[in-house]
Amino acid sequence: AQSVTQLDSQVPVFEEAPVELRCNYSSSVSVYLFWYVQYPNQGLQLLLKYLSGSTLVKGINGFEAEFNKSQTSFHLRKPSVHISDTAEYFCAVNNDYKLSFGAGTTVTVRA
Amino acid sequence: DVKVTQSSRYLVKRTGEKVFLECVQDMDHENMFWYRQDPGLGLRLIYFSYDVKMKEKGDIPEGYSVSREKKERFSLILESASTNQTSMYLCASSSGLPAYNEQFFGPGTRLTVL
């Protein structure tokens, strides 16, 4: 079964600084990877996904992620964060007919 | 605009009560999901439905059941609520192959069982 591990549970960051959220997946064929974001008191929404093709994936709100097969990673990055990026971020991978989610990374952006 | 709604944002129930959580989507999606979200554990799939009257167990189905009588509505039932079912419950829907396509989430129901 496929699974993901999010390596950081909490990431504090100052406004306008870059941020990287780390996600590693278990090795397997036909990997499809996702990043979702959950703003306070809301449901999750899709930031970006990798199904195939270019390993650099661009998403909404200035986020991007890079699929690295040799390191089995799918790290999420943003070059300059805003206060409004304060949220919980979830990495997910296809697992048979469903998605398996990581434990989440809470990003707190401070002025 | 795509929308998934859940019947309650907050719910408080007593141990042993039968609890119904309702979810409605307006996107004509075939697939609907119920997840449980707990701190440090992320989202765990309880049940999944890929069509009316069809259901599949997820990772943690024990203590729960589901009902899907209409395409737009997916209900989660706690037959006899227990304190360890205190959690945030998220409903989602999607079209096509569930492992590949975007899932759209509702705002969640925070359930407290006393």
Side-chain angles (χ1 to χ4, degrees):
Chain A
Q2 302 263 40
S3 64
V4 290
T5 301
Q6 293 184 241
L7 300 171
D8 309 289
S9 59
Q10 308 259 359
V11 174
V13 59
F14 286 106
E15 195 174 19
E16 297 183 9
V19 71
E20 179 180 80
L21 308 185
R22 298 180 294 167
C23 174
N24 286 111
Y25 63 91
S26 58
S27 178
S28 183
V29 297
S30 300
V31 174
Y32 305 98
L33 292 153
F34 304 78
W35 276 100
Y36 281 82
V37 61
Q38 184 179 33
Y39 298 107
N41 299 314
Q42 295 185 27
L44 279 70
Q45 64 183 85
L46 183 69
L47 271 179
L48 49 80
K49 65 181 179 183
Y50 171 79
L51 300 182
S52 66
S54 173
T55 57
L56 184 63
V57 181
K58 294 194 181 296
I60 62 171
N61 300 341
F63 283 92
E64 65 181 30
E66 186 159 16
F67 173 68
N68 188 320
K69 191 173 182 179
S70 63
Q71 297 188 8
T72 62
S73 67
F74 190 56
H75 299 336
L76 181 71
R77 301 184 183 97
K78 185 170 182 177
S80 176
V81 296
H82 303 291
I83 297 288
S84 58
D85 292 321
T86 293
E88 191 161 17
Y89 293 80
F90 294 93
C91 183
V93 67
N94 62 305
N95 185 0
D96 195 12
Y97 59 86
K98 58 188 180 180
L99 291 184
S100 288
F101 286 83
T105 298
T106 299
V107 173
T108 304
V109 182
R110 300 167 181 166
Chain B
D1 205 14
V2 161
K3 207 160 186 182
V4 178
T5 57
Q6 296 183 227
S7 51
S8 307
R9 291 302 304 271
Y10 300 94
L11 209 53
V12 179
K13 295 293 181 181
R14 297 267 178 210
T15 302
E17 278 192 80
K18 191 168 186 176
V19 181
F20 293 87
L21 303 183
E22 305 285 340
C23 175
V24 177
Q25 51 97 1
D26 65 0
M27 296 160 283
D28 201 36
H29 284 166
E30 314 88 85
N31 308 312
M32 295 189 75
F33 310 82
W34 274 107
Y35 292 94
R36 174 176 169 159
Q37 181 181 8
D38 298 289
L41 297 177
L43 276 70
R44 294 178 290 168
L45 183 65
I46 304 171
Y47 268 98
F48 154 59
S49 169
Y50 54 90
D51 201 353
V52 176
K53 296 192 186 296
M54 306 303 290
K55 62 185 179 184
E56 291 281 347
K57 291 181 179 179
D59 300 316
I60 51 165
E62 298 77 20
Y64 304 94
S65 62
V66 290
S67 172
R68 193 164 179 203
E69 296 295 321
K70 293 185 177 182
K71 190 175 186 180
E72 67 272 16
R73 188 178 297 269
F74 192 34
S75 302
L76 180 69
I77 303 153
L78 286 66
E79 297 290 343
S80 177
S82 64
T83 54
N84 62 13
Q85 293 177 309
T86 291
S87 187
M88 171 70 85
Y89 291 88
L90 292 170
C91 175
S93 71
S94 74
S95 62
L97 295 171
Y100 312 148
N101 293 322
E102 179 179 1
Q103 294 186 18
F104 295 87
F105 285 81
T109 295
R110 186 167 294 282
L111 173 67
T112 302
V113 182
L114 302 175

